[in-house]
Amino acid sequence: MSQAAALPDVVRNIERVDAQVVAQAAQFPSSILADVAGRRGGLHGRIAPLAPGMRFAGPAITVEVRPGDNLMIHAAMAVAQPGDVIVVDGKGDLSSALMGEIMSQQCMALGIAAVVIDGAVRDSEAIRELGFPMYAAGLNPNGPTKFVPGRLNHPICIGGVTVCPGDLVVGDADGVTVIERTKAAAMLPLAVNKVAAETKRIADIRNRKALAPAWLDASLRSAGVIREGETL
């Protein structure tokens, strides 16, 4: 790509995952969506909710910052639309917080659905009381700087997962799952089937019809643990 054709550091307009897809995806656990998406969309477990009751779903506004600087998060909040999820590649830095109570209050007033940060936040008790869905890699009372440039609405890598602007992001007590915008709608019927299968499996366990998974012996044979014709 030539320099003239390169994206600016700040991209204001993006294509978002459809709002109806977001609404339907919000009905499923992050674990179900991660499974049907190929077990590759779950962020690293270090990125966790400040309270287990926090949940959200929405399209990603992606932010890249330099460690300890939150200038571009403020820029993201200025361009975000109601229902968006701000997803921040904070480089995993825990030496200072990138957000706290004031910015969380602002996010709530703007209708932002959640913030996911691979970095630290502060004012955790106040954010829990607000009920604003804040997912972070840790806590630190130090405040950030606000003068280092970064990028807004470019692809980022956070928690081992690539996130593009407009991708579907879903979070709950287990963590955060990201699904590519163009694939999100196709995952919904798979999620319905997955929930039905797991519901039946749990029912069969409870009524003692199937206390071991039906696939176990075949998988053990394929792995060479037991021989053909053997069972546990």
Side-chain angles (χ1 to χ4, degrees):
M1 181 182 291
S2 68
Q3 184 173 359
L7 289 173
D9 286 341
V10 174
V11 178
R12 294 172 176 81
N13 299 311
I14 64 168
E15 189 170 356
R16 292 166 170 82
V17 62
D18 186 84
Q20 290 186 349
V21 172
V22 172
Q24 293 176 59
Q27 308 304 310
F28 297 103
S30 63
S31 57
I32 292 290
L33 293 170
D35 280 356
V36 300
R39 296 177 173 84
R40 65 172 60 90
L43 303 193
H44 192 287
R46 69 174 178 271
I47 301 171
L50 296 191
M54 293 176 173
R55 7 180 351 111
F56 69 87
I61 296 291
T62 57
V63 187
E64 182 183 358
V65 302
R66 292 289 296 275
D69 192 281
N70 74 353
L71 176 64
M72 299 310 295
I73 302 177
H74 286 278
M77 293 164 65
V79 304
Q81 297 179 5
D84 284 345
V85 177
I86 294 177
V87 184
V88 184
D89 173 14
K91 314 302 180 187
D93 177 67
L94 301 181
S95 63
S96 63
L98 293 177
M99 291 185 68
E101 179 184 8
I102 293 175
M103 292 176 73
S104 297
Q105 289 272 15
Q106 185 179 350
C107 283
M108 290 188 73
L110 291 168
I112 292 168
V115 173
V116 179
I117 296 180
D118 193 359
V121 298
R122 66 180 182 179
D123 305 327
S124 58
E125 290 186 4
I127 296 172
R128 290 188 190 102
E129 289 180 8
L130 282 174
F132 179 68
M134 176 70 74
Y135 288 60
L139 304 173
N140 195 302
N142 286 333
T145 58
K146 305 180 189 306
F147 53 76
V148 181
R151 297 203 301 178
L152 175 60
N153 283 326
H154 285 247
I156 61 172
C157 184
I158 172 173
V161 175
T162 298
V163 186
C164 294
D167 281 352
L168 174 65
V169 190
V170 178
D172 55 23
D174 288 336
V176 179
T177 294
V178 178
I179 300 177
E180 297 99 314
R181 175 181 59 81
T182 57
K183 296 181 179 179
M187 296 300 106
L188 297 177
L190 301 180
V192 170
N193 292 339
K194 178 74 171 173
V195 169
E198 292 196 354
T199 300
K200 182 179 184 304
R201 174 79 177 115
I202 291 169
D204 286 346
I205 292 170
R206 286 176 173 169
N207 62 29
R208 305 186 68 82
K209 286 178 61 178
L211 294 180
W215 48 261
L216 180 59
D217 283 345
S219 294
L220 290 171
R221 291 189 198 100
S222 296
V225 177
I226 60 177
R227 286 177 290 200
E228 194 65 36
E230 280 189 303
T231 61
L232 290 182

